[in-house]
Amino acid sequence: MHSSSISLCVPPPNSSLLNKSHKKCLDKLSFAPLNSQLCGLRNEVLRFSFTRFKRCEQHRVRKFVRNNVVSGLVAENGNAPTLFDYDLVIIGAGVGGHGAALHAVEKGLKTAIIEGDVIGGTCVNRGCVPSKALLAVSGRMRELKNEHHLKALGLQVSAAGYDRQAVADHANNLASKIRNNLTNSLKALGVDILTGVGTIMGTQRVKYGKVGFPDIEVTTRDIIIATGSVPFVPRGIEVDGKTVITSDHALKLEFVPEWIAIVGSGYIGLEFSDVYTALGSEVTFIEALDQLMPGFDPEISKLAQRVLVNPRKIDYHTGVFATKITPAKDGRPVVIELTDAKTKEVKDTLEVDAALIATGRAPFTEGLGLENINVLTQRGFIPVDERMRVIDADGNLVPHLYCIGDANGKMMLAHAASAQGISVVEQVSGRDHVLNHLSVPAACFTHPEISMVGLTEPQARERAEKEGFEISIAKTSFKANTKALAENEGEGLAKLIYRPDNGEILGVHIIGMHAADLIHEASNAIALGTSIQDIKFAVHAHPTLSEVLDELFKSAKVIKLEG
Amino acid sequence: MSHLLQSTFIPTTPTTLRRCSVFPTTHLRKTHVVESKIREIFMPALSSTMTEGKIVSWVKSEGDKLAKGESVVVVESDKADMDVESFYDGYLANIIVPEGSSASVGSTIALLAESEDEISLAKSKTLTTVSSSSQETPPATVTEEVSPVVSPVAAAVSLSSDAVKIASAIHPASEGGKRVVASPYAKKLAKELGLDLRGVVGSGPNGRIVAKDVEAAAAAASDGAAPIGVAAAALKPSGSAPAAPVVDLGTTVPFTTMQNAVSRNMVESLAVPTFRVGYTITTNALDSLYKKIKSKGVTMTALLAKATALALAKHPVVNSSCRGGKSFTYNSSINIAVAVAIDGGLITPVLQDADKVDLYSLSRKWKELVDKARAKQLQPHEYTTGTFTLSNLGMFGVDRFDAILPPGTGAIMAVGASLPTLVGSKDGRIGVKNQMQVNVTADHRVIYGADLASFLQTLAQIIEDPKDLTL
């Protein structure tokens, strides 16, 4: 999430500020022939006026490097389609691969996508998409069951109930609908969908095939690995898919247990706790770290605990590992052995009706033929540089090979994968691009929602100390927002972490109604380098929830050091 | 936390007010406090207008170590929830105002002990303070001496080994009762209700304690138990006199939750103007009917309840209730609550629609309710919905007694034993008849003497000619 990357919004560099790599580039630049294409780029470059210089320069460097690396294989920088079956082959048709394919077509590349399972990957079939369907149901159930809340609005509703199968069908239908949309959009754009498991045979060579069919090998100028991830199941946990389950099974909602233990209190665990408690289950969280929701800004996770955990039928064990989980069998419940994270001693045993393993996700990179190109995975992740270029075992870049999404582990979010894919397509179609991961928002769709972009407060403090600048915090409460009060949803907080000296936004964290939609004003500001002193003049419709952010930016105090 | 306080979180509140640390100021009688090193944590004033604050959550639990400046508690003000931090190092010894409750500004919400050893001292101090509810806190040294006696915590622990065996022995994973297995919500509820889960019998899967078990146990310990007169009432289902309880003589024991509830209800009953009317009823016919149908599972309680219900059907005013003091309600159904003594108190299971349900079903229902009551598994609707209460001490040989009216109902009938009595009849002859005395206590705001008299006359007619009971 906070891998270093060159920010798009730094002011135009002057040579004294350039870091080492830039210097190297400049050295090489001096040998590079002035490419006529530079003029063609100018129109686009103008849109990013503040980065114009840097972009142009990098572009030229890139051309130069490419020419050297691919000499002998490619006649000239990508304009020789005759030698390859495709310009770009993407392995994996998840959200990352799909995003990359769409952008590649826009750039005029002949593109193929290899998928061994179903189009849409985890997000569409076993992740974000069906879970949103369940959360839509849980949100409504929660509202309908909250008599106190309804009464305050003057509403009367008699006992709300649900039909489990119908809820499950809703999630399943949504997934297949989105899956069809994705498939159709790929077909309509002329992307070849190659069915089978993709394996890299060597530089610019990919093989694919199904069991029982002969393998087909294709050549391609560039390859993107976008194979994603699978639920991570720690050792000692026996998943039977019935009573001990991962998110893959939980999304099918085959049963609603009376009591379910959720191992891990990150996004996935938290969202499922929202679904299960709304449907009547009681939940026990098992978290290895000392605090619930360890990935969030501490202040947000504190409020989240107050809003999303304490008032609900949830209890928790923190600082413990679930070292052994055995599924329910012969009338015995699911048994969970809890081990103290520090002393490593068995501390407690739980018996529950079901256990959901939400301990994160593991990269799905086996069978990719990485050994053919001398790439060693790190805990399964494919090592890449900031431009998603794959790094081999000796620390060298592998030519024409990129890896995006969960498989590289930089930021395991569907839209981050897509953004990385677009960044790679930009690069292979001749324009350098580095994705600023700090501008990628993340959201947790509980009720109320949680969203964030950029650094958390501890991260920002650490960076401020290292780089020697001050940070300030501004906060606004949903309690002061008219729209939130009209909805009787005043519980919430927006928090801004910024530099008071230049108004740079370092991070924004929101918990409250529609937080996931609200975050984009902040993430766009970070992506475009908009400072607080500029964005505070932007106008927001009244009364809307967006005024929470409006007020947040307005309450920030920027002290200009110089006029 | 300082950044929070300096932030613009509440733009409208002056900075001075935003600085909200608790001032665990030393106790009034300073000397004692210095000796015992126990400080009180007060409800802070978060704004100039704030008179009362609600505790949103305790960040720390009892026994947790606190560092100066660490947040202890979250308090809700009119604008936002504020974290409140400690001014001293120490241990959070005792939380006096629980989560979700409100306290006025300046009142003690918790106690802070300087060292771990003083936690129990602080706890006992609270108890003394709370139970005597006076300003006089005994000197710390004295408190320490008596603490083993007044501390229910210590007592509960020492008793636990016995209690646990009964509680969760059914659970396969409870390892012979060493652990309590309860669902998250059950635990949460128990904490809110101040209930010890070790005494609760679980009815969930594998004998796990679930929310309804806690609710039933809590209700058994409070509302349901409360209505009946202290000296009166109580039908011991087993019929045997209880063994002499083992108590430490000369000790002062704080009320349990249930005793508190009983106490509250008894005091509340004083607000109702009651009066009593007694009647002697001959039961020979009833006794012979009972002998005939006993084999079919009919119990005396069911017979009495049925007779009472039939009489009530003819006198709806006796089945009415007056709550506000300005109007009263003719209850639509006749639900007879019958007092049952259970371990450590009593409860009033309700025979619903006793006038309509036939005697045999009523008897079965009664058996079921008694079993549930013993297992502390009665649901709220099974003990709170009574419209008329029966209390029978006849099995102890009591010939007459007086019951206190449970608040919220119109009347209660105390039933004595049916005893052979020498009776003179109108024609001048003398004979022996079985007679029992009943004594009805009623709310005179709605039920008058004549109402009770005619009700009792009807009841006597029904009991003396009980053929209608079996219809």
Side-chain angles (χ1 to χ4, degrees), chain A residues 282 310 312 314-315 351 353, chain B residues 173 179 183 185 188 208:
Chain A
E282 296 178 30
N310 293 350
R312 298 187 180 170
I314 302 176
D315 70 349
E351 296 92 10
D353 300 321
Chain B
R179 308 185 320 112
S183 82
Y185 187 45
K188 208 163 258 195
R208 160 202 312 164

Side-chain angles (χ1 to χ4, degrees), chain A residues 258-259 282-284 299 302 306 309-310 312-315 331 333 348-349 351 353 457 475 479 493 555, chain B residues 1 3-4 7-9 56 74 79-81 83 171 173 179 181-185 187-188 205-206 208:
Chain A
E258 275 179 48
W259 183 4
E282 296 178 30
V283 169
T284 295
E299 213 164 332
K302 218 159 80 182
R306 205 181 293 161
V309 175
N310 293 350
R312 298 187 180 170
K313 296 175 180 179
I314 302 176
D315 70 349
D348 207 347
T349 310
E351 296 92 10
D353 300 321
E457 190 181 327
K475 272 176 265 183
K479 272 186 184 157
L493 170 79
S555 65
Chain B
M1 202 37 61
H3 55 268
L4 187 151
S7 75
T8 48
F9 189 39
V56 176
V74 181
K79 299 213 173 54
D81 299 343
D83 285 72
H171 200 283
R179 308 185 320 112
V181 179
S183 82
Y185 187 45
K187 280 187 220 154
K188 208 163 258 195
N206 299 99
R208 160 202 312 164

Side-chain angles (χ1 to χ4, degrees), chain B residues 127-143:
Chain B
L127 279 167
T128 331
T129 321
V130 170
S131 59
S132 63
S133 69
S134 73
Q135 302 299 317
E136 291 299 310
T137 307
T141 45
V142 175
T143 318

